Amino acid sequence: MAGVSRCLKYSMFIFNFLFWVCGCIILGVSIWIRVSKDAQEALGISDSSMFAGVDVLIAVGSIIMILGFLGCCGAIKESRCMLLLFFIGLLLILILQVAGGVLGAVYKPQLEAGLNLTLTEAVNLLKDNTENAKQVQESWQKFQLQSQCCGLVDGTSDWGNNINLVIGGKKVCECEQKYQEENLCIPFGDRYVFKQPCKTVLLDFLRKNMDIIMGIAFGMAVIEVLGLVFSMCLYCQIQRK
């Protein structure tokens, strides 16, 4: 029994050490993005909605670090209290993941409607002339050129009076000759613009990568279940001593 306990104990420690390292990496990178101007410019992060995603990553990294610490110390010190806290924390995360997946499937139409509403509200920034809006416009122009799309929901009309704005040496939505040959452009006044709104590009990206997202979620769930099993088995063996 002692050999089995030792094997389980160090397996639990290694598992949670890797868990803790992952938490450190997520936390460190997300804090770096949050405070570094260079990182924000490189990733095109400029408005508060994007910073909200970084803040979520900081919270996730912190939680993973704490759980990993509890699991490591609980395994090495054979502390039932730490193992129990680890088990409860991991179980809550697993329940939230499952609940989120179920709610996402049930309320998919409402989520799409919410996305449309968010994009519609973001259109106002493309039409605006404030300093904050200009930063968003610069970032969005880069995205448009990379993705060969225009605007958010309704193409050129999303830019309003800013449609002839020059950003980075090019007018917004301007379609180059090479893309015209690929039938990605439509005539607009005295020039060509990308005909596809960026909403379509974003939705296509989500649909194409849904399998990857589901695979990551499934992998995380398997890891969490293993953590629950390890912690409960070790807890029971310690309790028997």
Side-chain angles (χ1 to χ4, degrees):
M1 179 64 113
V4 175
S5 179
R6 193 179 298 113
C7 176
L8 186 61
K9 175 178 173 178
Y10 287 107
S11 295
M12 178 76 177
F13 174 81
I14 292 169
F15 170 84
N16 281 286
F17 178 75
L18 295 174
F19 204 54
W20 179 79
V21 168
C22 288
C24 288
I25 293 170
I26 293 171
L27 182 61
V29 171
S30 52
I31 289 176
W32 172 65
I33 293 171
R34 193 71 173 83
V35 301
S36 171
K37 294 288 184 183
D38 293 336
Q40 291 164 18
E41 288 176 6
L43 296 171
I45 297 174
S46 55
D47 63 346
S48 57
S49 62
M50 294 180 179
F51 281 120
V54 178
D55 292 338
V56 169
L57 283 176
I58 291 173
V60 168
S62 301
I63 292 169
I64 291 174
M65 271 187 66
I66 293 168
L67 287 176
F69 173 79
L70 288 172
C72 283
C73 291
I76 291 298
K77 293 181 175 293
E78 298 184 5
S79 168
R80 287 185 295 171
C81 179
M82 285 185 170
L83 287 172
L84 191 59
L85 287 172
F86 171 81
F87 179 86
I88 292 170
L90 205 56
L91 182 62
L92 287 174
I93 291 174
L94 184 60
I95 291 171
L96 288 173
Q97 268 184 243
V98 173
V102 171
L103 289 173
V106 172
Y107 293 102
K108 186 179 177 182
Q110 287 88 334
L111 289 174
E112 290 182 356
L115 175 62
N116 289 333
L117 180 61
T118 302
L119 291 176
T120 303
E121 291 174 351
V123 166
N124 295 328
L125 289 172
L126 299 183
K127 296 178 179 178
D128 210 341
N129 293 309
T130 62
E131 197 60 37
N132 183 48
K134 287 178 182 177
Q135 293 178 354
V136 174
Q137 289 161 8
E138 288 175 5
S139 299
W140 197 251
Q141 170 71 339
K142 292 177 184 176
F143 180 80
Q144 288 180 149
L145 294 174
Q146 291 170 356
S147 306
Q148 295 89 56
C149 61
C150 179
L152 276 165
V153 181
D154 297 317
T156 53
S157 62
D158 292 341
W159 284 90
N161 294 328
N162 290 332
I163 188 58
N164 291 314
L165 192 67
V166 177
I167 301 175
K170 292 181 180 178
K171 289 185 177 181
V172 294
C173 296
E174 186 172 339
C175 188
E176 297 177 2
Q177 180 67 37
K178 61 180 179 181
Y179 296 124
Q180 294 174 28
E181 296 169 358
E182 297 174 21
N183 196 31
L184 297 175
C185 316
I186 55 172
F188 182 81
D190 59 348
R191 62 191 175 103
Y192 281 86
V193 296
F194 294 113
K195 64 180 180 181
Q196 184 172 233
C198 293
K199 171 191 169 183
T200 306
V201 175
L202 292 171
L203 290 175
D204 286 345
F205 176 81
L206 289 174
R207 291 190 191 102
K208 288 176 183 176
N209 292 277
M210 190 55 69
D211 290 340
I212 297 173
I213 295 169
M214 293 298 292
I216 292 172
F218 179 76
M220 287 178 63
V222 170
I223 292 171
E224 287 161 5
V225 169
L226 285 173
L228 291 172
V229 172
F230 278 148
S231 60
M232 191 44 52
C233 289
L234 189 56
Y235 179 88
C236 291
Q237 286 197 2
I238 293 169
Q239 196 172 29
R240 287 174 190 162
K241 289 184 179 181

